[in-house]
Amino acid sequence: MVNLRLTPDEVATERNVILEERRSRVDNNPTALLDEQMNAALYLSHPYRIPVIGWASEMAGLSREDALRFYNHFYAPNNAILVVAGDVTPQEVKELAEKTYGKIPANSDVKQRMRVHEPPHLAERRLVLKHPRAGNASFHRYYMVPSYSTAEPGKAEALDLLAKILADGATSRLYKKLVVEEKVSATSGGSYSGSGLDSGTFSIYAVANEGANLEKVEALADAVLEDIRENGVTEAELERAKKSLRASYIYNSDSQESLARRYGWGLVVGRSISDVENWPEAISKVTNDDLKKAAREFLDDRRSVTGWLEPESPDGGSGSAEKPSVPSRS
Amino acid sequence: MVNLRLTPDEVATERNVILEERRSRVDNNPTALLDEQMNAALYLSHPYRIPVIGWASEMAGLSREDALRFYNHFYAPNNAILVVAGDVTPQEVKELAEKTYGKIPANSDVKQRMRVHEPPHLAERRLVLKHPRAGNASFHRYYMVPSYSTAEPGKAEALDLLAKILADGATSRLYKKLVVEEKVSATSGGSYSGSGLDSGTFSIYAVANEGANLEKVEALADAVLEDIRENGVTEAELERAKKSLRASYIYNSDSQESLARRYGWGLVVGRSISDVENWPEAISKVTNDDLKKAAREFLDDRRSVTGWLEPESPDGGSGSAEKPSVPSRS
């Protein structure tokens, strides 16, 4: 936590490592590129728009001084949460922590940080990324929604259940409609990311079958969303989703690492230990009506970005012979 | 420049003034709202995405301390350019400046600021704003392009001429096509803003006639752009545009204020006095081929945002009876 030795050589090497990581994980991956461009369009002002790994031009300019400034400012016992998972007692951990981290003085420069308030989202956004290695065309939609830290009680839990029912796996609404019934998609999915301090993201996607067009895929996905906004889900779906989320909570408790992360993450974003431990119970309490309300309130297209990833022939033309067209008013 | 007295009362009053200014100029003006949402989507990382007047929630939180911190940091003779226009000689101005501003010590905290490099734009963006007071539907397109500070020699001048020929007034390409020939638009326009330190914006717009649809308007505007990318403009158009820009330079020289602004702006963004004074000559040198190249290089849809402003009935439904549809692949 203190006294880090950082040589200029190590910094130069590590900077190349992260640049290479970016190249291989993002720049060579059309879906990751689309994700970055969509995130940048999802937030109007909030720094969540900036990819965690960074934009390449900024990464290239990072210096030893930048790293040390960050380290010296934020690595301090009064800005850290220590989580120990394993065959220990609280008393043992406390004594050891006091003997080690306890010796390090608090850094009084660490203050409550100013949080950026996202301005009102008034207009749904769309973007189209054409890429020679896009593979089958795909449709993606992100909604900016509350997180566990910002949602009113029960609403983040409703979003977790909604994501499960709407988009997770072969029994999900999206999969049944797009893949099984209408056969326009090869696969579909989605998730709710509710761990942000200032907001969360609700996302869905579908990969088009060879020859299927994205307009059709998107229209069908929108119909699935609209149906849930209007009619909610079935009791059977809700029960199955609750069971599945509670089960994954129990399974994850088997791993020391996920147990530690669960508490660490919760405390870092301002939740309490009982919030963390009562999550399965909070999930159980969500009603179909809560789900319908959450879908209506949060899956609001004005707070969304829709992205299309489409193949582009290597000569720069689009996959089809036609020019990308403009939105139709049908 | 120094010793500002700022009372808490003055700050409270002025904060209300700027909030009211924002309400009347932006929040009550659908086109200004669209402009804000488009700008926020045009830049992925650069602070040019933030409106100059600010987002309301951030303005509301500004304190006397924020204002004084800004003032004390940036208001310093080593961070200022003094421009005097009028019946004076350089010698007189120099003596007076030394006697007044010359007494104020330089602020050594003022350093070269880090400039944000905008990451690559890979995907054209679109957004739709529906507003009860939108009036006739309108189409807007912004391209992120170089500014006079960042463009290679002659290229900003080519963009100025391109904007003139493409979008300025009743003899422009857009107007002739959309308003006169095809009668889908009530009016059209556009401009090049090349005064930014890090980048510029090239914008066009067209207001749809009652009953005309925006898809048609946009397709026609795109055809006009594509024609210039492919074929450039006529010699007569180029000569007329050059004459018009040079004439406005001369007319503006008649006003002390615009003269002062011309030099002040140029020096602030790193241009030299001779750059400023040789602008009419630089305009004269642009060839039709330069224009065609600029259109091809800079009017690249991947670096653009397209915005549609559409009327919405007060009950929240869209003007037409139909749900906003998805882009078609025609």
Side-chain angles (χ1 to χ4, degrees):
Chain A
M1 187 172 280
V2 288
N3 303 325
L4 175 69
R5 283 186 50 200
L6 207 57
T7 68
D9 275 0
E10 284 166 335
V11 171
T13 305
E14 198 55 37
R15 189 171 45 225
N16 283 337
V17 168
I18 58 171
L19 282 165
E20 179 51 36
E21 192 178 316
R22 190 190 147 89
R23 267 190 294 272
S24 66
R25 294 199 192 161
V26 182
D27 297 322
N28 282 328
N29 178 343
T31 310
L33 283 172
L34 178 72
D35 173 68
E36 271 194 350
Q37 304 273 318
M38 285 178 70
N39 258 317
L42 182 59
Y43 298 97
L44 303 180
S45 180
H46 199 286
Y48 286 171
R49 64 184 305 100
I50 303 167
V52 171
I53 197 168
W55 297 113
S57 63
E58 293 181 357
M59 295 162 73
L62 290 173
S63 67
R64 179 170 176 271
E65 289 61 44
D66 294 324
L68 287 174
R69 198 180 308 119
F70 186 89
Y71 173 75
N72 291 329
H73 188 83
F74 292 109
Y75 282 58
N78 55 323
N79 198 36
I81 288 159
L82 177 67
V83 185
V84 177
D87 184 14
V88 289
T89 67
Q91 191 52 36
E92 284 174 85
V93 170
K94 198 151 186 262
E95 277 168 27
L96 282 166
E98 275 166 5
K99 264 200 264 182
T100 51
Y101 295 108
K103 287 193 215 154
I104 306 168
N107 177 0
S108 61
D109 286 344
V110 172
K111 301 204 172 67
Q112 193 69 28
R113 272 174 288 169
M114 295 235 300
R115 308 304 307 177
V116 173
H117 292 278
E118 185 68 359
H121 288 195
L122 304 175
E124 57 173 294
R125 280 135 283 154
R126 313 185 59 87
L127 50 85
V128 178
L129 176 62
K130 294 179 181 295
H131 197 286
R133 288 182 290 102
N136 278 17
S138 55
F139 152 78
H140 306 255
R141 166 91 49 81
Y142 296 172
Y143 291 93
M144 194 187 82
V145 300
S147 66
Y148 273 91
S149 300
T150 62
E152 291 166 44
K155 293 199 168 179
E157 290 82 357
L159 286 166
D160 251 333
L161 288 162
L162 193 58
K164 190 92 202 155
I165 296 167
L166 178 66
D168 189 26
T171 57
S172 69
R173 290 279 182 113
L174 270 182
Y175 195 94
K176 284 196 283 188
K177 180 62 121 186
L178 275 65
V179 180
V180 181
E181 287 172 31
E182 300 282 344
K183 299 182 174 51
V184 295
S185 286
T187 186
S188 70
S191 62
Y192 167 53
S193 302
S195 61
L197 190 50
D198 294 318
S199 72
T201 313
F202 191 101
S203 63
I204 58 171
Y205 73 88
V207 178
N209 271 329
E210 200 71 46
N213 89 27
L214 282 180
E215 183 179 15
K216 182 81 187 285
V217 170
E218 178 170 339
L220 287 166
D222 269 325
V224 170
L225 293 176
E226 193 53 27
D227 184 29
I228 292 189
R229 287 189 199 104
E230 288 293 315
N231 308 310
V233 301
T234 67
E235 283 307 317
E237 283 174 316
L238 183 56
E239 281 318 308
R240 193 167 52 226
K242 285 180 177 179
K243 206 176 280 179
S244 161
L245 288 185
R246 284 188 308 243
S248 65
Y249 183 91
I250 294 165
Y251 296 145
N252 286 336
S253 306
D254 253 6
S255 145
Q256 307 277 28
E257 193 186 334
S258 29
L259 262 184
R261 276 181 184 279
R262 180 187 291 168
Y263 286 94
W265 158 67
L267 294 169
V268 147
V269 300
R271 309 193 83 210
S272 68
I273 300 234
S274 75
D275 286 340
V276 172
E277 296 183 340
N278 291 335
W279 184 77
E281 203 185 312
I283 287 290
S284 297
K285 283 187 192 152
V286 176
T287 66
N288 197 340
D289 197 48
D290 295 334
L291 231 67
K292 199 158 73 174
K293 275 189 195 145
R296 282 185 195 191
E297 182 176 356
F298 300 126
L299 304 188
D300 176 339
D301 287 343
R302 288 172 303 180
R303 288 197 293 266
S304 78
V305 177
T306 301
W308 285 13
L309 179 60
E310 297 188 304
E312 178 183 49
S313 58
D315 65 5
S318 74
S320 76
E322 287 150 46
K323 187 174 176 312
S325 73
V326 300
S328 80
R329 312 306 300 153
S330 63
Chain B
M1 185 172 281
V2 288
N3 303 326
L4 176 69
R5 283 187 49 200
L6 207 56
T7 68
D9 276 1
E10 284 167 336
V11 171
T13 306
E14 198 55 37
R15 190 171 45 226
N16 283 336
V17 168
I18 59 171
L19 282 165
E20 179 51 36
E21 193 179 313
R22 188 189 150 90
R23 269 190 293 274
S24 66
R25 293 199 193 161
V26 181
D27 298 323
N28 282 326
N29 177 344
T31 310
L33 284 172
L34 178 72
D35 174 67
E36 272 194 350
Q37 304 272 320
M38 285 179 70
N39 258 316
L42 182 59
Y43 298 97
L44 304 180
S45 179
H46 199 285
Y48 286 171
R49 64 185 303 101
I50 303 165
V52 172
I53 197 168
W55 297 111
S57 63
E58 295 182 356
M59 294 163 73
L62 291 173
S63 67
R64 179 170 175 271
E65 288 62 43
D66 294 324
L68 286 175
R69 197 179 310 119
F70 186 90
Y71 173 75
N72 290 329
H73 188 83
F74 292 109
Y75 282 59
N78 54 323
N79 198 35
I81 288 159
L82 177 66
V83 185
V84 178
D87 184 14
V88 288
T89 67
Q91 191 51 34
E92 283 173 86
V93 171
K94 196 148 189 262
E95 275 168 29
L96 281 166
E98 275 166 4
K99 263 200 264 183
T100 51
Y101 296 107
K103 285 192 216 156
I104 305 168
N107 178 359
S108 61
D109 287 344
V110 173
K111 301 203 172 70
Q112 193 68 29
R113 270 173 289 169
M114 295 235 303
R115 309 304 307 177
V116 173
H117 292 279
E118 184 69 359
H121 288 196
L122 304 175
E124 57 175 295
R125 279 135 284 155
R126 313 186 59 86
L127 50 86
V128 179
L129 177 63
K130 292 176 183 298
H131 198 285
R133 289 182 289 101
N136 278 18
S138 54
F139 152 79
H140 306 254
R141 166 92 48 81
Y142 296 172
Y143 292 92
M144 194 187 83
V145 299
S147 67
Y148 273 91
S149 300
T150 62
E152 292 166 42
K155 293 198 169 179
E157 290 82 356
L159 286 165
D160 251 333
L161 287 162
L162 194 57
K164 192 89 201 157
I165 296 167
L166 179 66
D168 189 28
T171 58
S172 71
R173 289 277 181 114
L174 272 182
Y175 194 95
K176 283 195 284 188
K177 179 63 118 186
L178 275 65
V179 181
V180 180
E181 287 172 30
E182 301 282 343
K183 298 183 175 49
V184 295
S185 286
T187 186
S188 69
S191 62
Y192 167 54
S193 302
S195 60
L197 190 50
D198 294 318
S199 72
T201 313
F202 191 101
S203 63
I204 59 171
Y205 73 89
V207 177
N209 270 330
E210 200 72 46
N213 88 27
L214 282 181
E215 183 180 13
K216 182 78 187 286
V217 170
E218 179 170 337
L220 287 167
D222 269 325
V224 170
L225 292 176
E226 192 53 27
D227 183 28
I228 291 188
R229 287 188 197 105
E230 288 291 315
N231 308 309
V233 299
T234 66
E235 283 307 315
E237 283 175 315
L238 183 57
E239 279 318 307
R240 193 167 54 228
K242 285 181 177 180
K243 205 176 279 181
S244 163
L245 289 185
R246 285 189 308 242
S248 66
Y249 183 91
I250 294 165
Y251 295 146
N252 286 335
S253 307
D254 252 6
S255 146
Q256 307 276 29
E257 193 186 333
S258 28
L259 261 186
R261 278 182 182 277
R262 179 187 291 168
Y263 286 95
W265 157 69
L267 294 170
V268 148
V269 299
R271 308 194 83 209
S272 68
I273 300 230
S274 75
D275 286 341
V276 172
E277 297 184 341
N278 291 336
W279 184 77
E281 202 185 310
I283 287 289
S284 296
K285 282 188 192 152
V286 176
T287 66
N288 196 342
D289 196 50
D290 295 333
L291 232 68
K292 199 157 75 174
K293 275 189 194 143
R296 283 187 193 189
E297 181 176 357
F298 301 124
L299 304 188
D300 176 338
D301 287 343
R302 289 172 302 180
R303 288 196 295 265
S304 79
V305 177
T306 302
W308 284 12
L309 179 60
E310 298 188 302
E312 178 182 50
S313 58
D315 64 7
S318 74
S320 78
E322 289 151 45
K323 186 174 177 315
S325 72
V326 301
S328 79
R329 312 305 303 153
S330 62

